[in-house]
Amino acid sequence: MTGIKKYVAAAAVTTALLGLPTVSYAVPQGRTAHDTAPAAVERGTTGTATRTVPAAKAPTARIVAPGQRVRVSDGSRIWLTQEGKHWTTPDDPDPRFRSVVDGNIDLGTPGVSLQAEGLGGHYLLSGLYYGGTGTASRVSVRTTAGTVHGRLLKLGGSPGWGVWYATVDLPADRGKDGLDFLDVVVRDTEGRIYARLGLN
């Protein structure tokens, strides 16, 4: 009976782990950013294998159509065209633009940029990522108030670049000093650094 109880508990934990959404960019405490669940074999009550459950896959960038508006949680909107990144905020509905074709970035060299806009009690963070090897999977921004995890967007095909974004609340005890940004890191599906921007 004890063996059955242990199996049921282990099966419940396996089901809970495998049921996690694969698009989550947060990493549970105690795990590294590149941990993924290994493949598991579910067994019937007789101990025979019934089916193999594949390992969880690392997230990848959301594919968007040119001009498709993506709504950020704070009401800002971001969209991509072949020429670069466009965005608006609730405070400023006039579109802004960051080019990928004006010669200011080298798409063949790994890089990531950061734009930080103060909007009331929070910041909208966004930027370009480009030129890395592998498949970009997730982005994190280290600040003096902690680490923020963002989301990745890209156009279909292989444009060689994409856009990331995140929001972060301004800590009440920081006052007008705001936040200091320490670095931005984009990792690939294997957990390796795709591109990094050091700011300190």
Side-chain angles (χ1 to χ4, degrees), residues 25-61:
Y25 292 90
V27 177
Q29 268 191 330
R31 297 189 72 183
T32 60
H34 57 274
D35 284 346
T36 55
V41 176
E42 288 188 358
R43 299 192 177 276
T45 55
T46 62
T48 58
T50 56
R51 70 183 178 110
T52 300
V53 179
K57 291 184 179 178
T60 56

Side-chain angles (χ1 to χ4, degrees), residues 43-120:
R43 299 192 177 276
T45 55
T46 62
T48 58
T50 56
R51 70 183 178 110
T52 300
V53 179
K57 291 184 179 178
T60 56
R62 175 181 168 185
I63 307 296
V64 294
Q68 177 184 344
R69 265 64 168 173
V70 174
R71 187 179 186 278
V72 181
S73 60
D74 69 352
S76 300
R77 301 203 183 263
I78 297 174
W79 64 100
L80 286 61
T81 64
Q82 299 296 332
E83 292 76 34
K85 173 188 117 178
H86 307 254
W87 75 100
T88 62
T89 67
D91 292 351
D92 187 356
D94 291 332
R96 276 156 290 165
F97 174 63
R98 177 68 169 95
S99 176
V100 297
V101 296
D102 62 3
N104 285 326
I105 61 172
D106 177 5
L107 295 179
T109 301
V112 59
S113 64
L114 166 66
Q115 285 101 34
E117 293 186 60
L119 301 170

Side-chain angles (χ1 to χ4, degrees), residues 100-161:
V100 297
V101 296
D102 62 3
N104 285 326
I105 61 172
D106 177 5
L107 295 179
T109 301
V112 59
S113 64
L114 166 66
Q115 285 101 34
E117 293 186 60
L119 301 170
H122 75 280
Y123 280 104
L124 170 65
L125 310 177
S126 65
L128 303 172
Y129 67 91
Y130 48 89
T133 57
T135 301
S137 176
R138 51 194 161 261
V139 60
S140 61
V141 183
R142 203 162 48 96
T143 78
T144 48
T147 299
V148 179
H149 299 277
R151 298 179 185 269
L152 304 177
L153 305 172
K154 77 180 208 74
L155 297 173
S158 301
W161 65 277

